[in-house]
Amino acid sequence: MSLKNCYFTLFSIFYFAAVGFGQNIVRLDKTEISAISLDQKIDALMKIAKVQGLAVTVFNNNKPVYKKSFGYKNLRTKELINNETNFYGASLSKPVFAVMVMQLVEKGILDLDKPLQDYLPKPIYSYKPTKKWHDNYQDLKEDSSYVKITARMCLDHTSGFPNWRWDEPDQKLRVKAIPGSRYSYSGEGLVYLQVVLEHLLDKPLEQMMQENVFRPLKMNHSSYTWQPEFEKDYCLGHNTTGEPYEKDKDNDARAASTLETTLNDYTLFTEAVLKNKLLKKATTKTMFTQQIKIRSIAQFGPLRLKDSNANDSIDLGYGLGWVLLQSPYGTGAFKEGHGDGFQHYSIIFPQTGTGIIIMSNSDNAESIFKALLETAIGDIYTPWKWENYIPYDLKE
């Protein structure tokens, strides 16, 4: 083999390993798109919407068939993102935690419908806080309704807690609705479940996640706290004008929001869910069974308090740790992530083995999610208006 042909062969191996393993992607409707065509579409979308960085995995038949990263870790330095670059995961934290919780349910350690307070020998507000703020439940001393909250309510966002106590005018935690009565997105609910489990098992969240999820799946670059090893390869979030945010490396571990991960690691997690590597098939089915119907006009903002039938056609609802929709191709289970400079989305269709992970370090990324979902996997079912994923070409 000539030196020229040798270089070409090596290039081909690395290229196809990065962009799609040399095969076409099959969409939900059985139409196909080549990896190169998807590359071109992503490049065009990023350019027109001013998205600094993006990482994408596409699944067919329960396995990744396309996995590639685009753009920059830091627009100022022009360092390129790769599949091992650390991303702040934001609310992609929640389904990973939910899987671990369902493992505890399988083992009989946790009952989804037993009030969480009943697992503790004393009221949750009697424990001395050891973190900056999230395990301080002094505000519940005069709020007896919290004792009704169960693990199921935390996982399907019917705990009655606000998203975060900081959203309240007085920044005090309270139960705002009868537990179990209505969907209302709540990071506090997931953290309450976490703190109860930490007391019950006498283990910190990070240890639980490492033992039950990260190590079994060889997710070696994932953690709910910042690790020194992440310093060598991580991306900064960028605002709408492309200016980088300062990296937050000082978070206590919170089940709802502090996951640090990579495209490779989150791909391992998603594949494990699709293939029932961590949970029994029946448990996964329970996780992907609607617990509460969602009727709100929007997930966040003032319209979260107003109802409509806009999403009845997809029977929008919450499962256990995942949002659910119904399509001609079965249930779609999805979860978004949103923080300063980081916008993510993942959806899987377990009955077909089709799915996608989208991770970005740009505040502009959500504006291309609708187009990317339709192009990559033929997903026209994600409720983009409910998510406020306003396409770049519809923004003023």
Side-chain angles (χ1 to χ4, degrees), residues 202-243:
D202 195 25
K203 292 180 181 180
L205 173 67
E206 181 67 17
Q207 183 179 347
M208 286 187 268
M209 300 309 302
Q210 291 290 346
E211 290 176 353
N212 293 288
V213 178
F214 298 153
R215 289 175 192 157
L217 295 181
K218 295 183 171 55
M219 293 173 65
N220 299 324
H221 304 289
S222 294
S223 174
Y224 278 76
T225 57
W226 182 259
Q227 301 296 328
E229 67 181 76
F230 299 157
E231 292 286 350
K232 62 186 178 185
D233 191 0
Y234 70 94
C235 53
L236 297 178
H238 297 79
N239 66 20
T240 55
T241 63
E243 290 298 312

Side-chain angles (χ1 to χ4, degrees), residues 180-192:
S181 66
R182 178 183 173 87
Y183 164 79
S184 182
Y185 194 84
S186 176
E188 290 282 0
L190 273 292
V191 172
Y192 173 57

Side-chain angles (χ1 to χ4, degrees), residues 46 52-54 69-87 230-238 242-245 247 341-342 360-362:
M46 290 178 66
Q52 285 71 46
L54 199 72
S69 298
F70 303 79
Y72 305 111
K73 305 175 191 178
N74 181 341
L75 186 60
R76 289 177 178 171
T77 64
K78 297 294 195 292
E79 295 174 272
L80 296 177
I81 291 175
N82 63 73
N83 296 348
E84 285 292 323
T85 299
N86 168 272
F87 280 83
F230 299 157
E231 292 286 350
K232 62 186 178 185
D233 191 0
Y234 70 94
C235 53
L236 297 178
H238 297 79
E243 290 298 312
Y245 290 97
K247 176 64 180 176
F342 291 94
S360 179
N361 63 336
S362 169

Side-chain angles (χ1 to χ4, degrees), residues 9 29 72 198 206 215 232 308 330 356:
T9 300
D29 62 2
Y72 305 111
E198 288 176 324
E206 181 67 17
R215 289 175 192 157
K232 62 186 178 185
S308 80
I356 188 169

